[in-house]
Amino acid sequence: MAAQTCISISELHPNFCHPKVAGVVIGKSDVRSFPDRKNIGVDRYTFGFTIRDSPNFFINVTAWGNSGYINGLSSSFNIGDCVNIQNPLVASKDPEKADKFSPETPSLYRLMVMEAHSQVYVCAEMDTVDRMLPLIHLPVKDSRDFYSLGDIVANGQKLNGSVINILAAVRWIGELKQFTTSDGRKGQRLEVKLFDDSVPSFPLVCWDRETIQLIQTLIPKETVLFIADAKINFDSFRNGMTATVNSKTIITVNPDTREASLLFSYAKEVSETGGLDEDEKTEDVPVESITDVYTVSQLKQKAQDDQDVFFGITYSFISKLDLDSSVSKVIRTRCTRCKFLVTEEMQSCSNPLCQGRDQGFSSTTAFDLLVDFTDHTGTLHTCSLKSPVAEKTLGCTTEEFTRLTDDERTTMKWKFLLERCKIYVKILPSNTMRTKIRVVVLACSLADPGEVKQHMSALQQRL
Ligand SMILES: [Zn+2]
């Protein structure tokens, strides 16, 4: 059996007997069941997957059988695994029926797998695996044939109902929502927010368990997706466009293409320098409505326990405030269009993906500080203090700040450093930060000593 060589997908033909095929799994559907027309009261089970063995060739495989066989087979491999298929039936494609709901493939055929005839197992031959694995990073469509999120938004309702390819980065992965349909079937839904240099947030909805499993392994802000054949719809509830993954969609994670690698660099740069943070401010509550007081360790504990955004006040000392380091560390200038960092001298955006670079350059200058807060219970590191909160706190504009002498900056720093402040914070649990918690300062001012005393004794009593 092991001696039998594999036939490449491009050479497959219905006349072959006992073919053996190998390929990397690039797509996979959930198991579904249908009533068997020949056996009343019995259900037949099926699922599909797509395998690829060369840059240009991939083929759909459908497995049929009873519940035990199909569920067992489906759980024996995942997207990204290399599989061998022994003795499948090679059938012509049927574009009106089965293949209507499967991904588009270049092959004229599809493979059928049945328990009595065929065998599917995860490939253990290392040289085959080494040869196949890189194929998982090649988009299944022309790598230049895609819509940017800006294209989708610009086309708007014209794209309603259409099927397109998308290249975008993952910004945020939502929580899995489980539900039961009116006819008693269990369902699930996962929403992902995509971004690129033209649109900061765009929804992608997944319903399939296999897709959701794949998505849940991705690292937000460090992953680029080529989504082949995503369905675009106008969502009247949100009054905007959404993309949906369906049974014809194939997602390529971190595609090995020039466009994807440019987008990857952009995503990493803009998220590491905090360029995506501004948009998260939109859901902020008015500072006056924040009343809960916490110590530093209570803030950390609550972030860990709840895994949800919350707001609070802490009376802490500013233990790090680098106002007298180079101005470029205090004030940052970004391209207005794509949020990429630019240096003051630059009169253009250096992000090669930035759209309309030739349409004239405009930039926004803002405070972008990282500060530490300390009280008797611990320290909150790298809290983000940005415009316009920073202007209010420091009492000067970015323009005024750039004109200060070194001595004046040092004086300004010591007005706050090691002083007890009343700090309004927004806390975001974070899986990408080393500290597991992201702190955004909403307001900060020197604290009234009487007020501090009152709150400290209240906190002590609570402990
Ligand atoms: Zn730009």
Side-chain angles (χ1 to χ4, degrees):
M1 189 165 86
Q4 189 193 349
T5 49
C6 287
I7 294 165
S8 64
I9 291 171
S10 61
E11 288 171 354
L12 276 172
H13 191 272
N15 291 348
F16 278 124
C17 35
H18 312 299
K20 181 185 169 189
V21 188
V24 60
V25 179
I26 58 171
K28 189 175 170 219
S29 80
D30 285 359
V31 171
R32 279 165 238 278
S33 63
F34 300 91
D36 188 344
R37 267 173 286 162
K38 291 175 208 148
N39 282 305
I40 304 299
V42 176
D43 280 345
R44 293 180 76 207
Y45 286 75
T46 184
F47 77 102
F49 55 102
T50 307
I51 60 166
R52 181 180 216 171
D53 70 348
S54 72
N56 296 321
F57 276 93
F58 45 99
I59 192 166
N60 292 323
V61 187
T62 314
W64 284 95
N66 61 32
S67 163
Y69 172 65
I70 291 299
N71 282 304
L73 183 59
S74 169
S75 59
S76 69
F77 62 88
N78 291 307
I79 294 172
D81 283 338
C82 214
V83 294
N84 281 326
I85 306 176
Q86 193 99 37
N87 210 21
L89 180 74
V90 184
S92 289
K93 274 211 274 202
D94 185 353
E96 290 307 310
K97 280 193 181 156
D99 295 289
K100 207 172 168 180
F101 304 104
S102 308
E104 257 179 48
T105 62
S107 174
L108 295 171
Y109 309 106
R110 61 196 169 95
L111 301 177
M112 308 272 284
V113 166
M114 274 150 299
E115 186 172 17
H117 302 279
S118 333
Q119 260 189 304
V120 181
Y121 50 93
V122 174
C123 179
E125 297 141 34
M126 278 327 285
D127 44 335
T128 308
V129 174
D130 287 347
R131 194 162 48 82
M132 302 280 181
L133 276 188
L135 299 172
I136 194 102
H137 295 294
L138 300 181
V140 294
K141 297 288 175 86
D142 180 346
S143 68
R144 287 155 307 172
D145 173 20
F146 62 84
Y147 279 68
S148 74
L149 300 177
D151 296 335
I152 300 174
V153 171
N155 277 287
Q157 297 200 35
K158 259 189 282 173
L159 285 177
N160 188 27
S162 60
V163 173
I164 61 168
N165 308 324
I166 302 170
L167 182 75
V170 176
R171 171 167 184 163
W172 170 87
I173 298 167
E175 256 177 66
L176 181 67
K177 301 263 179 356
Q178 279 169 312
F179 58 86
T180 309
T181 58
S182 53
D183 57 346
R185 281 176 303 131
K186 286 212 178 347
Q188 59 282 315
R189 182 184 190 279
L190 184 81
E191 185 163 325
V192 180
K193 290 279 198 289
L194 303 173
F195 74 103
D196 64 10
D197 58 319
S198 57
V199 171
S201 184
F202 187 91
L204 172 75
V205 179
C206 310
W207 301 93
D208 227 44
R209 204 173 296 120
E210 290 290 340
T211 310
I212 289 172
Q213 269 175 19
L214 173 74
I215 296 286
Q216 284 180 325
T217 63
L218 307 177
I219 304 169
K221 299 174 184 175
E222 291 182 26
T223 308
V224 171
L225 304 177
F226 188 98
I227 308 163
D229 289 335
K231 184 86 183 277
I232 299 295
N233 283 110
F234 178 74
D235 182 335
S236 54
F237 182 69
R238 295 184 224 229
N239 195 29
M241 306 307 289
T242 59
T244 306
V245 175
N246 67 19
S247 60
K248 293 185 81 73
T249 311
I250 288 189
I251 297 177
T252 303
V253 178
N254 290 331
D256 188 7
T257 69
R258 184 175 170 271
E259 292 81 1
S261 95
L262 288 174
L263 181 57
F264 180 83
S265 314
Y266 165 77
K268 222 168 147 52
E269 204 275 349
V270 92
S271 67
E272 273 170 7
T273 62
L276 289 170
D277 296 350
E278 276 170 64
D279 309 290
E280 285 159 18
K281 270 189 208 138
T282 48
E283 327 111 51
D284 283 353
V285 302
V287 167
E288 309 82 63
S289 69
I290 303 171
T291 52
D292 294 336
V293 177
Y294 300 90
T295 64
V296 165
S297 74
Q298 283 169 342
L299 286 173
K300 287 181 177 172
Q301 192 59 49
K302 190 168 162 64
Q304 232 173 52
D305 294 347
D306 295 0
Q307 287 292 308
D308 205 3
V309 179
F310 68 97
F311 299 87
I313 299 170
T314 177
Y315 292 94
S316 297
F317 297 95
I318 297 188
S319 47
K320 187 177 167 226
L321 181 68
D322 288 335
L323 289 181
D324 45 3
S325 61
S326 76
V327 180
S328 67
K329 282 191 178 157
V330 179
I331 293 172
R332 288 181 149 168
T333 303
R334 291 179 189 280
C335 167
T336 313
R337 194 169 283 121
C338 77
K339 308 270 166 64
F340 212 69
L341 274 187
V342 292
T343 59
E344 203 117 5
E345 310 83 62
M346 270 200 281
Q347 283 310 304
S348 66
C349 177
S350 59
N351 171 20
L353 281 175
C354 185
Q355 288 178 357
R357 275 202 296 167
D358 24 307
Q359 289 169 21
F361 173 66
S362 76
S363 61
T364 317
T365 298
F367 281 109
D368 198 340
L369 276 160
L370 293 172
V371 299
D372 288 359
F373 296 122
T374 303
D375 71 2
H376 60 290
T377 64
T379 298
L380 284 173
H381 293 283
T382 55
C383 306
S384 135
L385 176 62
K386 295 186 177 212
S387 295
V389 179
E391 275 92 338
K392 255 191 173 168
T393 304
L394 303 174
C396 82
T397 64
T398 53
E399 226 169 272
E400 287 163 352
F401 187 85
T402 47
R403 271 182 303 198
L404 295 180
T405 64
D406 288 353
D407 282 351
E408 284 168 329
R409 275 185 219 155
T410 308
T411 310
M412 182 183 277
K413 166 174 156 172
W414 282 103
K415 194 177 148 200
F416 294 96
L417 193 66
L418 304 183
E419 294 295 333
R420 175 88 74 175
C421 291
K422 182 181 189 179
I423 307 146
Y424 291 81
V425 288
K426 177 181 182 178
I427 305 287
L428 305 111
S430 162
N431 291 320
T432 47
M433 297 274 289
R434 225 178 326 120
T435 50
K436 297 282 173 214
I437 169 174
R438 225 160 60 74
V439 184
V440 178
V441 180
L442 301 179
C444 175
S445 56
L446 293 177
D448 174 65
E451 200 180 311
V452 174
K453 212 172 158 194
Q454 193 189 330
H455 279 290
M456 280 302 137
S457 54
L459 280 174
Q460 233 110 51
Q461 277 159 20
R462 260 201 269 160
L463 291 174

